[in-house]
Amino acid sequence: MSRKMQPMEDELFPSTPGKFKDRSNRQFHRCFTSTSTMFLWALFLIALTASYLSFHSFISTSSKYFSTTWGGIQWERQVRSSAELRRPNGVSVLVTGAAGFVGTHVSLALKKRGDGVVGLDNFNNYYDPLLKRDRVKLLDSYNIFVVEGDLNDQRLLEKLFDVVAFTHVMHLAAQAGVRYAMENPMSYIHSNIAGLVTLLETCKNADPQPSIIWASSSSVYGLNEKVPFSESDRTDQPASLYAATKKAGEEITHTYNHIYGLSMTGLRFFTVYGPWGRPDMAYFSFTKNILQGKPITVYRGKDRVDLARDFTYIDDIVKGCLGSLDTSGKSTGSGGKKRGPAPYRIFNLGNTAPVSVPMMVNILERQLKVKAKKNWVEMPGNGDVPFTHANISSARKEFGYKPTTDLQTGLRKFVRWYLSYYGYHQGKAL
């Protein structure tokens, strides 16, 4: 019996010839071997994990580099071609927010008169990005190249200034809208403050330094009740976060003007409207809802007082932008060092003829030939102000600013564009 079991034991526990088969010793070796194997496996797994993490980090970093939408020889050619001057004494302008409402119109106006124009836009989804893409198609037909990128990407900004020695920056990029600030406040800090500082840092270090014209807002007048609003009025009572970021922008630009010699012109826009406009604006959303047979919400102030706005047609705003650019003067710094005082200016760009919101709705009804279904609601405490009214005497004196389009004429042009763009005919979508 013991002999029959012997071969099996030998197979299970083979021994070295001439050695005594000690069962306890075998257990020790098995345990030691098992522990060593586990230790080696553990080292292997640790090494494998470390390699994976390193590789993953490399891929992540590399993907950011390789997936960038800017850079390269072809990209630089497009930028240079777009910035090429086509008139004597022309200017080369970087337009931020070029796919936006005002940015598109200003870019076209500059290009049509022979200036070099390069656009920058991040195509965010605050409103339908498709509208922005269609604006860019229009710009592209005029050989205006719009770079897709974020204003906070300093490497991109520095690269643009390395490729083109811009004489001017038309800074129109911003997170717009008063009410949206209550939903996404950080987007306003990111764009209107951090993005502005990133741009100014790039401009101060540029050689030569460009002159900067940028979009402030009539909202900075906040709770001011003196009318019409003048640039000398107090602006330290903002009624919304959006207004506060624009007021902060005025203070920041003043600092960069004072320390670094950047020529700064701030433009306080008053309720801009017109073709290719912003869908979040009241006149735009009213048009959509009226055509679709949906009710519109018309806000009223306290004691049922109608709200009023100084509606300013886009063509008049464009004239103001170009006039302020042409008279902006030069920056006086170089390489971040100031050599002398530089211009610092603030202008209102409005129409000087406020119209009540109900009157605006009446004009739309006549243009659309559709009666609106109205819901009258008291204005909530969301940052909106009851009225705006621009004093434009400073802009008129400085560069001959004179708006010429009344609200009825401007809305007629807007409705014509809206029906054409969205395919409406006799109140029905095609």
Side-chain angles (χ1 to χ4, degrees), residues 157-294:
L157 294 178
E158 290 172 349
K159 182 64 177 178
L160 284 169
F161 275 87
D162 182 55
V163 175
V164 176
F166 293 106
T167 60
H168 296 76
V169 171
M170 182 68 69
H171 177 44
L172 302 172
Q175 176 58 63
V178 170
R179 299 167 196 166
Y180 183 62
M182 299 181 72
E183 301 175 30
N184 189 4
M186 294 310 298
S187 65
Y188 290 79
I189 306 303
H190 177 81
S191 297
N192 301 359
I193 295 181
L196 173 62
V197 171
T198 303
L199 176 65
L200 295 178
E201 279 291 305
T202 304
C203 291
K204 86 172 190 195
N205 293 322
D207 191 9
Q209 289 180 340
S211 298
I212 302 170
I213 301 88
W214 73 285
S216 183
S217 169
S218 62
S219 67
V220 299
Y221 291 108
L223 303 178
N224 175 44
E225 295 183 353
K226 173 181 169 293
V227 290
F229 299 159
S230 173
E231 292 89 346
S232 60
D233 292 342
R234 63 183 299 180
T235 54
D236 59 350
Q237 295 178 305
S240 67
L241 178 62
Y242 169 69
T245 62
K246 286 299 185 179
K247 176 59 179 175
E250 293 186 355
E251 304 302 325
I252 290 169
T253 53
H254 183 275
T255 300
Y256 274 79
N257 166 265
H258 174 68
I259 297 176
Y260 303 110
L262 286 173
S263 171
M264 303 294 317
T265 302
L267 303 176
R268 294 173 177 169
F269 295 157
F270 281 72
T271 315
V272 189
Y273 73 100
W276 294 101
R278 277 174 32 209
D280 64 310
M281 299 288 285
Y283 74 94
F284 201 115
S285 61
F286 284 176
T287 300
K288 177 182 178 181
N289 288 343
I290 291 171
L291 287 171
Q292 294 180 352
K294 297 178 180 179

Side-chain angles (χ1 to χ4, degrees), residues 357-367 370-371 374:
V357 174
M359 179 60 71
M360 181 264 285
V361 174
N362 290 340
I363 295 173
L364 279 177
E365 289 175 321
R366 292 198 298 270
Q367 297 292 341
V370 181
K371 194 69 176 176
K374 307 180 189 72

Side-chain angles (χ1 to χ4, degrees), residues 335-357:
K337 295 182 180 180
K338 178 180 177 180
R339 295 179 177 174
Y344 180 83
R345 310 179 301 168
I346 296 282
F347 295 111
N348 289 336
L349 293 186
N351 195 50
T352 74
V355 176
S356 71
V357 174

Side-chain angles (χ1 to χ4, degrees), residues 70-123:
W70 58 271
I73 296 176
Q74 181 60 29
W75 180 85
E76 291 187 15
R77 286 175 179 168
Q78 288 178 289
V79 171
R80 289 193 180 95
S81 174
S82 188
E84 186 177 345
L85 306 183
R86 300 186 182 279
R87 71 178 177 101
N89 302 316
V91 294
S92 55
V93 188
L94 174 64
V95 180
T96 70
F101 173 32
V102 179
T104 296
H105 285 273
V106 169
S107 297
L108 286 171
L110 288 168
K111 196 70 173 183
K112 286 179 180 179
R113 74 177 195 176
D115 293 323
V117 182
V118 177
L120 174 66
D121 206 289
N122 68 353
F123 295 91

Side-chain angles (χ1 to χ4, degrees), residues 12-72:
L12 291 174
F13 305 104
S15 64
T16 303
K19 297 289 185 180
F20 177 72
K21 298 178 227 174
D22 184 359
R23 196 176 290 265
S24 63
N25 192 42
R26 286 197 298 269
Q27 293 285 358
F28 173 77
H29 281 293
R30 288 178 65 199
C31 180
F32 179 78
T33 303
S34 176
T35 303
S36 299
T37 303
M38 290 178 63
F39 178 71
L40 291 174
W41 272 108
L43 286 177
F44 174 74
L45 289 173
I46 291 172
L48 186 64
T49 302
S51 299
Y52 170 77
L53 292 175
S54 298
F55 180 73
H56 186 269
S57 175
F58 170 76
I59 290 297
S60 177
T61 303
S62 299
S63 64
K64 290 178 182 178
Y65 176 79
F66 289 114
S67 66
T68 182
T69 56
W70 58 271

